[in-house]
Amino acid sequence: MTTISESEIQITERILAQTGKMLAELFPQQARDQVLDTVRKNEEWRGRQCINLLAPEALMSPTARRLLASELSQRAGEGEIGNRWFAGTRYIDELEALCVELAKRLFQCNFADHRLVSGMVGNTVVYLALTQPGDVVMSLPKPAGGHSSNRNDGPAGLRGCHIADVPFDPYEMTVDVDALRTVARSVRPQLIALGSTLTLFPYPLREIKAIADEVGAYLYLDGAHQLGLMAGGQFQDALGEGADVLTGSTGKTLSGPQGGLILWNEPKLTGRLRWAIFPGMAATHQINRVAALAVSLAEMLAFGREYMAQIVTNAQALARALHERGFDVLGAHKGYTRTHQVAMDVAKYGGGYEVAERLAQANIITNKNLLPTDTPEQWNRPSGLRLGTTEVTRLGMKETEMEQVADFIHQVVVVGEESERVRKEVTAFRESFQTVGYCWE
Ligand SMILES: *Cc1c(COP(=O)(O)O)cnc(C)c1O
């Protein structure tokens, strides 16, 4: 049985015990104020003072954000558009139809579903619809960026699938197609899952589709991170290149509310996928989120090309600037990256955990990350650091600012400058980047 370790449970329980003790002395209204104050402090710090380089995060437009607090946030609309359990859903049907049609237009596909409260739920839907317990699924191992969604400890494993690794070339930072062919012929997968949390370059999808066809497998891309890049024409067109299903997170590069989208072309899959969504995985699926998503999709139709192109340009500029300052940046021989992500090996500076903590002291937010040359057991103390340029790009930063950001990182990690001093400079620098761009506001 898979379980959380006792030491992890203890960390959380300690924090809860402290909070519970503090709460015991407060009247309910004071407790309410405590909640408001905590949210305000985060907004001030993370929202106004930090350089946020977390690859899975993005800023929504002010319009999309406002919609999350709209009247719709109190409505329920389970079921299918035009076929609901509750009466009174006239405008909800209208809104959801707008959202689906905007998604189809943006991704140029035949079918889309918007009822996924997260990307992970979308991935669960794929396993429910396309696999049976006992089937073999091939997916990328975690050090290569493989996500729990497609591994033993997540939805794929919970479905009862057996997992075989998609072979990965850690130098080229892409799938080893010949090795994949050999493994697929031997394990005969029901499903080949691509997509990862660390993606620098496109996948050889057409070649992999040929292998999937040969062994009779579905090909599925978990494009959680790249969904926005695809919408903006900056990453491969997964469905066009042969994937049967594409899932993604709507709050990553797509820059909408947090949630998921699932997209496909083949009418024969529609019934199974929709059944897996409802009644399979979602009932009240957050209609305020759907409204914010619909607006974000319209923004991507208008601004996506320019916005996503600048994200990739910024990632390449940041990677180059860090490399020039002596960092060990992955993919250097291939131009570093074709996505919003930059990956560095920071083992010689104490590893990803240590470096991310030091940078956060200086108001630079990043995350520790396994690298393909790490072992899965190193998950908590990996060698890598992952950076993403989605948020800084939407705030208006360009290549020149990436040089400045690289300087800040260099000062903290290599020079060993006091975090307090760098924090002041970072906060002052961030002062002039406060407006969300690539939208109509
Ligand atoms: C982030 C991520 C997910 C999970 O998406 P959520 O929207 O956070 O649930 C799934 N797969 C991959 C590859 C991811 O990077």
Side-chain angles (χ1 to χ4, degrees), residues 20 164 172-173 202 262 310 324 382 391 429 435 437:
E172 296 301 330
M173 288 300 287
I262 182 164
Q310 189 63 47
E324 284 165 7
E391 181 159 329
F429 167 80
T435 310

Side-chain angles (χ1 to χ4, degrees), residues 56 117-123 145-150 194-199 203 220 222-226 247-252 258-260 341 386:
V117 294
S118 75
M120 192 105 166
V121 168
N123 296 341
H147 190 263
S148 304
S149 301
N150 310 306
L194 295 172
S196 65
T197 56
L198 183 64
T199 306
Y203 297 98
Y220 139 61
D222 170 2
H225 271 268
Q226 302 92 329
T247 60
S249 300
T250 49
K252 297 186 183 174
Q258 291 175 347
Q341 296 183 353
R386 183 182 65 169

Side-chain angles (χ1 to χ4, degrees), residues 293-423:
L293 174 58
V295 161
S296 307
L297 294 169
E299 288 166 356
M300 287 301 285
L301 278 166
F303 305 98
R305 289 206 163 254
E306 194 194 343
Y307 174 22
M308 295 297 134
Q310 189 63 47
I311 285 176
V312 176
T313 303
N314 281 349
Q316 290 166 344
L318 179 61
R320 191 177 318 108
L322 288 164
H323 195 199
E324 284 165 7
R325 283 159 184 75
F327 283 102
D328 183 1
V329 184
L330 273 63
H333 68 297
K334 295 173 77 170
Y336 306 105
T337 180
R338 298 264 304 278
T339 70
H340 59 306
Q341 296 183 353
V342 176
M344 312 202 280
D345 186 334
V346 292
K348 67 170 177 242
Y349 305 111
Y353 172 80
E354 173 73 25
V355 169
E357 289 297 314
R358 263 156 62 197
L359 285 170
Q361 289 288 323
N363 282 4
I364 299 169
I365 312 298
T366 62
N367 74 274
K368 65 180 179 198
N369 219 89
L370 280 172
L371 297 182
T373 43
D374 287 339
T375 63
E377 291 69 37
Q378 275 172 272
W379 67 270
N380 203 21
R381 290 291 185 276
S383 313
L385 191 75
R386 183 182 65 169
L387 314 171
T389 54
T390 313
E391 181 159 329
V392 293
T393 304
R394 204 166 198 185
L395 287 171
M397 295 187 200
K398 299 256 159 65
E399 293 94 308
T400 337
E401 282 78 31
M402 294 305 103
E403 296 267 342
Q404 178 66 68
V405 171
D407 271 336
F408 288 138
I409 295 173
H410 181 257
Q411 281 170 33
V412 175
V413 180
V414 181
V415 180
E417 190 69 69
E418 243 179 84
S419 329
E420 181 67 26
R421 249 203 59 198
V422 182
R423 180 163 70 221

Side-chain angles (χ1 to χ4, degrees), residues 8-47:
E8 287 172 276
I9 292 174
Q10 286 316 318
I11 292 172
T12 308
E13 288 306 311
R14 254 198 312 277
I15 295 173
L16 291 179
Q18 280 165 11
T19 307
K21 199 159 152 238
M22 184 263 293
L23 266 183
E25 328 228 305
L26 298 184
F27 293 112
Q29 190 177 1
Q30 292 173 307
R32 194 249 353 223
D33 291 345
Q34 186 76 41
V35 172
L36 296 181
D37 192 47
T38 302
V39 172
R40 187 195 54 71
K41 283 188 290 198
N42 193 64
E43 183 158 346
E44 179 64 18
W45 181 47
R46 293 290 306 277

Side-chain angles (χ1 to χ4, degrees), residues 259-274:
L261 260 185
I262 182 164
L263 308 150
W264 69 101
N265 279 328
E266 172 54 51
K268 286 203 194 88
L269 298 180
T270 301
R272 279 146 73 188
L273 286 169
R274 290 225 177 115

